[in-house]
Amino acid sequence: MNSKEVTLYIDYKSPYAYLAKDPAYELERELGVRLKWLPYTLHIPDFLGTVEERNPHNWRRVRYAYMDARRLANLRGLTVRGPQKIFDSSIAAIGMLFAQHHGVFRKYNDVVFERFWKRELEIENPQAIGAVLNESGADASGFADFLAGEGRAEHDRIAREAEAIGVFGVPTFVLDGELFWGGDRMWLLRERLAGK
């Protein structure tokens, strides 16, 4: 068994982070690594522009990305419906931290990803995220305070630390300071973990 720790940065509004979720669980199970899941909330306008300011090149990239994500999701029986706006996923990300603190991360992670990509969850709604936390087995009565204080500070600190080591997108895996961006780089991460 491997006792290595791999950090994995995700954002619930990234279809590619969603597609990397189950293979990441497999990585843990098959190789015995410990995955440290952390939120990295993407600011979409930084690299794809705002909806109003996108040029034709940006729109081609966006259309391709969602077509590609749907194609990959369909192969695995998953649903990926393109979002109808640019979401601020920080509330769901802070919910992830709350879920981790309460030992219900895996259930929360699965529910948020699946429902968001089916357009069944408003990830910007604190009450909706609180309901998922309750459903996942956490007592969400303290979530509003966590969201406004300690959770927001932790979320922002994690983002600063991620950027300091070079993180710019998700999913990003980090092993011993080496970054692997995208689910399509998991094969290389596996080789590193195997010592090749």
Side-chain angles (χ1 to χ4, degrees):
M1 287 293 261
N2 199 316
S3 61
K4 287 257 184 206
E5 181 176 88
V6 175
T7 301
L8 171 53
Y9 292 95
I10 62 166
D11 185 346
Y12 290 113
K13 70 176 173 282
S14 164
Y16 292 109
Y18 179 32
L19 293 170
K21 175 181 68 75
D22 290 337
Y25 291 155
E26 290 170 19
L27 186 77
E28 279 185 303
R29 186 177 61 252
E30 291 172 13
L31 299 182
V33 299
R34 294 183 314 276
L35 274 184
K36 180 180 179 182
W37 297 72
L38 292 176
Y40 182 73
T41 301
L42 299 169
H43 187 250
I44 301 297
D46 284 349
F47 55 95
L48 287 174
T50 64
V51 170
E52 299 77 20
E53 297 171 346
R54 285 181 182 162
N55 61 36
H57 174 80
N58 292 142
W59 278 116
R60 288 192 301 273
R61 287 178 61 193
V62 168
R63 282 192 296 272
Y64 177 83
Y66 285 111
M67 179 280 299
D68 185 52
R70 277 192 304 276
R71 173 172 59 189
L72 295 170
N74 289 341
L75 290 171
R76 293 173 38 201
L78 301 174
T79 300
V80 169
R81 298 180 68 199
Q84 296 177 306
K85 68 174 197 168
I86 297 175
F87 284 90
D88 173 4
S89 51
S90 65
I91 293 170
I94 294 167
M96 180 175 93
L97 297 172
F98 190 90
Q100 289 172 337
H101 294 319
H102 290 81
V104 297
F105 163 72
R106 177 96 176 236
K107 172 75 172 176
Y108 175 86
N109 199 44
D110 291 345
V111 170
V112 172
F113 263 131
E114 180 178 352
R115 290 189 188 156
F116 175 71
W117 287 104
K118 287 182 175 180
R119 294 189 190 155
E120 295 173 354
L121 178 65
E122 289 291 329
I123 60 170
E124 294 179 330
N125 181 324
Q127 290 74 32
I129 295 301
V132 174
L133 286 164
N134 279 325
E135 179 185 342
S136 300
D139 175 2
S141 60
F143 179 60
D145 289 339
F146 183 79
L147 178 63
E150 175 190 344
R152 178 65 64 180
E154 185 178 354
H155 169 274
D156 294 350
R157 175 187 53 77
I158 289 167
R160 288 191 304 272
E161 291 172 355
E163 289 165 359
I165 63 169
V167 173
F168 61 91
V170 297
T172 295
F173 298 82
V174 184
L175 172 65
D176 297 332
E178 185 176 5
L179 277 62
F180 302 82
W181 176 53
D184 59 346
R185 291 297 179 266
M186 287 184 71
W187 68 270
L188 186 54
L189 173 61
R190 282 177 172 272
E191 287 199 350
R192 289 289 194 277
L193 287 163
K196 293 183 181 176

